[in-house]
Amino acid sequence: MTGGPPRFRPLAVVNDARCLAHDTGPDHPEAPARVAAILDRLTAGPLSGVLRRVRPRRAGVEDLLAVHDEGYLLRFEEACLSGASYLDHTDNRLCYDSYEAALVAAGAGLTGVDLIEGNVSPLVFCAVRPPGHHAERAMPLGFCFLNNAAVAAAYWRRHHGRRIFIFDFDAHHGNGIQEAFDEEPDVFYSSIHEHPTYSFPGTGYAEDRGTGPGRGATLNVPLPPGAGAADVARALESQVGPAVAAFRPDAFLVAAGFDGHAADDMSGLAYDTGLFGTLGLHVAAWAARWAGGRVLCLLEGGYHLEALAAGAEAFLAGLALEAG
Ligand SMILES: [Zn+2]
């Protein structure tokens, strides 16, 4: 211990103004201000000296087809270009520029993988929108159109053969990520979320453990409304940590959602800001132990701007904290 201020490892932040052009209208919680709030907070705070801003590339159709149906991609693009205001459900608001924004958001994860595998930065945070973890193979859901996390994991697996542990701490179950890798034994999906009986999208029961060859490579930890830091700490110690050790991943992908904060009315969970710092510390320790420090993080939910920005900063500070 030096007794000085905390020191942080370098952190690449992938983001692009095109993600802000996804206009969901005046009354929609998934707003451009979310990303702006996070970036303002990061650049003004203790991590500012270690941030490296990187612009993403666009995801190519071949990258998206690993996760999505071609017909769905055409339907989504057509909806945007034709002036539609939503796709399938009014939750999924869009505008002319939304398809481009979604390609960039999905491409950010690919750029993140390239940064990690090119030894440019082992820690990457993609501050992008629209979010992705609810998007299914042929269906948008819950503000999500393309499954950014699943597209990145499929790319990582295909091009680098990594054994990937996906950890999703958004307040809601990432049904789309689970669906994408349900039968995949080399990509583990673990989510801590508000119990599906009480919460959108109504999936993510503890009984769901994967299918066929993927059986055992899914771990859902549903929590009751009002659950907080102690409940999450218990889940990390007794369930998620042991699952990481048993799976022995060599890469981590984090679906980072901050809507479990008590101030965020999108869930009944009662997390505090410090809990997100604890999550960052856990992921960093797992990654150091198993995965050469490789961690790719993608922004998912979080709709209370102050809690979102503070939570993201706390998580990333925990993740990047210099050990020792
Ligand atoms: Zn959420």
Side-chain angles (χ1 to χ4, degrees), residues 133-134 170-173 200 257-260 266-267 300-303:
H133 74 154
H134 295 307
D170 188 277
H172 306 98
H173 179 242
F200 182 88
F258 301 90
D259 42 7
M266 207 67 85
S267 90
E300 297 288 356
Y303 306 96

